[in-house]
C-alpha cells in the first residue's frame, strides 16, 4: 500500500538535506508523490542509506516510511507504517 507525501513535506525534506550540506534533492514522480519520489544527486555523492535514514526520521513523525526500489536506488516508495 503506497502512501503520499504532500509538496510541503517534499520541500521540508529538501531543506533538511540542504541544512545538513547533503547535495541531494527529492522530486515527485509522475506529477504526484503517490507514484514515488526520485532522489537526485546535485553535487557530491553521499551514502544513500544515511539519506534514507534522515528521510525516515522525518517521515516517522507522519506515520510513514520510505524504502528504495530494489533495482533503482534513486527511486523511493512511501508506505504507511500501519500497512507494513
Amino acid at each position: 500500500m503506497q502512501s503520499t507525501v504532500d509538496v510541503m513535506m517534499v520541500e521540508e525534506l529538501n531543506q533538511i538535506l540542504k541544512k545538513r550540506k547533503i547535495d541531494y534533492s527529492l522530486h515527485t514522480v509522475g506529477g504526484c508523490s503517490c507514484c514515488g519520489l526520485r532522489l537526485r544527486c546535485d553535487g557530491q555523492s553521499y551514502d544513500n542509506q544515511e539519506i534514507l535514514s534522515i528521510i525516515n526520521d522525518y517521515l516517522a513523525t507522519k506515520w510513514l516510511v520510505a524504502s528504495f526500489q530494489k533495482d533503482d536506488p534513486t527511486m523511493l516508495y512511501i508506505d504507511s507504517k500501519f500497512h507494513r
Side-chain angles (χ1 to χ4, degrees), residues 42-54:
D42 299 318
Q44 187 173 1
S45 63
Y46 199 83
D47 179 36
N48 278 2
Q49 291 302 316
E50 179 64 26
I51 294 171
L52 184 61
S53 177
I54 292 166

Side-chain angles (χ1 to χ4, degrees), residues 37-76:
L37 296 173
R38 174 119 8 234
L39 181 63
R40 183 177 75 194
C41 180
D42 299 318
Q44 187 173 1
S45 63
Y46 199 83
D47 179 36
N48 278 2
Q49 291 302 316
E50 179 64 26
I51 294 171
L52 184 61
S53 177
I54 292 166
I55 291 168
N56 278 326
D57 285 346
Y58 171 83
L59 291 177
T61 67
K62 314 291 187 195
W63 296 99
L64 298 171
V65 64
S67 60
F68 285 115
Q69 181 179 342
K70 290 180 184 177
D71 60 346
D72 184 354
T74 66
M75 185 71 179
L76 289 164

